[in-house]
Amino acid sequence: MSDYVELSNLTKGFPGSTGPVIIVRDFNLHIQRGEFVTLIGHSGCGKSTVLSMLAGLCPVTSGAIVLAGRELTGPGPDRGVVFQSPSLLPWLTAFKNVMLGVDQVFFTAPRSERARIAEYYLSVVGLADAMHKRPSELSQGMRQRVGIARAFALSPKMLLLDEPFGMLDSLTRFELQQVLVNLWSRNAVTALMVTHDVDEALFLSDRIVMMTNGPEAGVGDILDVTFSRPRERRAVIEHSDYQRLRDHLIDFLETRAHLRPNQTPAPHRPPPSAPASRPVNRPVVRPREPLTADVLAVTPG
Amino acid sequence: MKKSLQDIFFPFVGLALVLAFWQLIAGRSLERVRADGTSEEIRAGWIKDLPTPIDTWVKTRKYVLEPFAKREELDQGILRFTWYSLVIVGKGYFIALLIGTPLGFLLGLSKTFARMFDPLIQVLRPVSPLAWMPLGVVLFTGAGKAANDLGALFTIAICSMWPTVLNTAVGVRAVPQDYLNVAKVLKLSRTQTLFRILVPATLPYMFTGYRLSLGIAWLVIVAVEMLTGRVGIGNFLWNEYNNGLYTSIILCIITIGLVGFLLDRGMSLLERRIQGAR
C-alpha cells in the first residue's frame, strides 16, 4: 500500500528576538492508510506543533504535507481533531456540538440522516443518555467523549489527537483509551496522536515515533508495535514484548532525546538518573551538524 | 434563614440612620410673633431650606398616591412622568445597542479598525451629556419641531453606547482560541463563525455592556429633559426647583434612583440567565 500521509522536511520556525527560532526542523514521516501512529517526546519538544501543522492551524514554514495524494494548505473537516481540552461550545448540547461538524461535512444529506450520524457516534462513545446535556452538565471525561465523537462523526480521512487524555485522571484515561480502541477497531481511520504517556502510546499505536528535544526537533527513532488487534489492556500489558518496547521508549526519552538524530551518545555524558515516569526536559542545545538525508529518512512501511 | 433575616434587617437599619440624619440637618418651619402681634413663618435649622422627611411625604404624596394621574401638563403622577422618560430612554438605548454592538464587534475583530478608532472612542467616552445635548439639537435643526426629540435621542444614544462598544470588543477578543480552532477545523464560513461561534461566545460580555449602558441611558435623562423641556421626570424636577418646591426634587431623586435600581436588577437577572446557560 502506498503512503497515505507524507510529511516531508516539515519545518516550523518563527521570528524570535535573537533571530528565527526553529521549533521543528526537517521532520519526515510517512503514514499508511489505516495506521495509528503516535508522536512521543518530552513536553515542549514540538510534537504538538507537528500536529497543529497537519491540522492546518499552524502555518508550515517550509516542507510539505500530503494527505491522500493532495497537498494540505489549511484546516478542513477532512481531518478530525481531538484537542487536549475538549473544546466544546458551552452553549450547545453534546448533540449540537457534534451536529455542528456533521452539518458542515454532510450538508447534502437530509437533516434526519445527519442527526442519525451524530446520535450514532454519541451512542458508541457511551453518551446515549447524555447527548442532550450541555458541557457544563458533563464530567471532564464525558466531555472528551463528545470531542472524540465529534471527530469520528466527520468520517475524516485522518484523525489528529493532541494529548487527548492529558487532562483526565488515570481511571478515566484508561476508560477513554478503551473507548478510542473500540471505536477505532470499527472504523480504522488513519490517526496521528501526540502524547507523553509511554503506556498510552504502546496500547494504542501501530508505530511510535520518538521525537528529539527542541529546538529544532526531529524524528529520533521509530518503534513498531505489533500487538494483535482488537486490543485489550490486560493482554497488551502482559504480552512478552511489552516490557522490552516500554524500556526502549523510556531509554530513548531518558538518554537519547536530547541528541540530534545523527549523533551517538557522547562518552563524557553519563545517562541522567531522572525517574522514568517523569522525564525532565533538559535544555541541552548542542551545536547542530549538517543533516544528511539518509539519516533522517524514515523506513517506509 | 438567619442570613435572609439579616438581609432584610440591615438595609432597614441603614435607611433609618439616613432618615434620622436627614431629619437632624433639615430645616423646620417656626412661627415667630412680631412685636405688633402678627406672626410670620420662618425656617430654622442647619440647612434651613431642606424639607424634613415627613414634610417631603406630606407635600408630595399626591404624586405618589395617584401615580398615573394627569391633572395638568406639569402636574402629573410621578410614575406617569417616569413613563414618559422611560419611553425616550428606551428609544435612545435601543439606538445605542444597535450601533454599539456591531461597532464593538468591529473593534474586537479588526486590529486596524481598533487602532483607528480606539483613541477617538477614549476621547469621546468621558464627555458629559450636558455637553452633547446642544450639539444634538444643532445636528437636527433641519428637522424643525422634532429637533429637540432627535437631539435627546442622539444624546442618550451617544452617552450610553460606550460600555456596550467596549465590553463587546473585550468579549470578542476574549473568545477562547479553542472555539476559533473548532471553527477553523470545521471550516465554518465567516458568517457561520460570526453567528455560531463569536456571537454566542461574546454574549455574556455583551450583556454586561448592555446593563451598564442602560444605567447610563437612565442617568442622562435628567440632563436631557432639563435642556429640552420635554415632559418627564427630569423636567418635572427642574420645574419644581424653579418653583422653589424642594420636596418634589427629593421625590424625583428617590424615584430616579429606584427606577435605575430596578432596571439594573432586571438586566442582571437577564445577564445571569445568559451566563447560566453555559
Side-chain angles (χ1 to χ4, degrees), chain B residues 104-237:
Chain B
F105 267 94
L106 283 173
L107 279 176
L109 287 173
S110 159
K111 274 204 173 112
T112 317
F113 191 87
R115 283 211 187 95
M116 280 199 279
F117 293 106
D118 198 54
L120 217 59
I121 287 171
Q122 299 304 339
V123 169
L124 294 182
R125 201 162 57 98
V127 175
S128 148
L130 290 165
W132 282 116
M133 186 64 221
L135 178 66
V137 177
V138 170
L139 283 177
F140 297 103
T141 38
K145 261 189 149 180
N148 261 354
D149 278 11
L150 291 174
L153 288 179
F154 168 82
T155 308
I156 294 169
I158 204 159
C159 289
S160 65
M161 180 164 85
W162 308 118
T164 294
V165 172
L166 297 176
N167 271 282
T168 306
V170 168
V172 171
R173 288 187 200 120
V175 173
Q177 189 59 41
D178 282 356
Y179 302 172
L180 298 177
N181 282 347
V182 169
K184 277 192 201 163
V185 165
L186 297 179
K187 235 177 181 172
L188 299 184
S189 69
R190 287 181 141 231
T191 338
Q192 277 177 314
T193 306
L194 180 64
F195 287 108
R196 304 197 69 168
I197 311 278
L198 286 172
V199 171
T202 313
L203 219 53
Y205 287 86
M206 268 158 60
F207 263 82
T208 305
Y210 289 177
R211 181 169 59 80
L212 298 174
S213 282
L214 184 59
I216 292 184
W218 183 243
L219 205 69
V220 167
I221 191 65
V222 177
V224 165
E225 287 178 352
M226 275 181 192
L227 291 176
T228 59
R230 284 183 52 89
V231 177
I233 192 161
N235 179 248
F236 177 57
L237 188 155

Side-chain angles (χ1 to χ4, degrees), chain A residues 257-291:
Chain A
H258 62 281
L259 303 173
R260 286 303 303 171
N262 54 349
Q263 287 176 328
T264 46
H268 62 272
R269 179 173 288 278
S273 55
S277 55
R278 277 261 159 260
V280 281
N281 191 4
R282 286 173 293 275
V284 178
V285 184
R286 307 196 130 216
R288 227 174 60 80
E289 288 164 29
L291 292 170

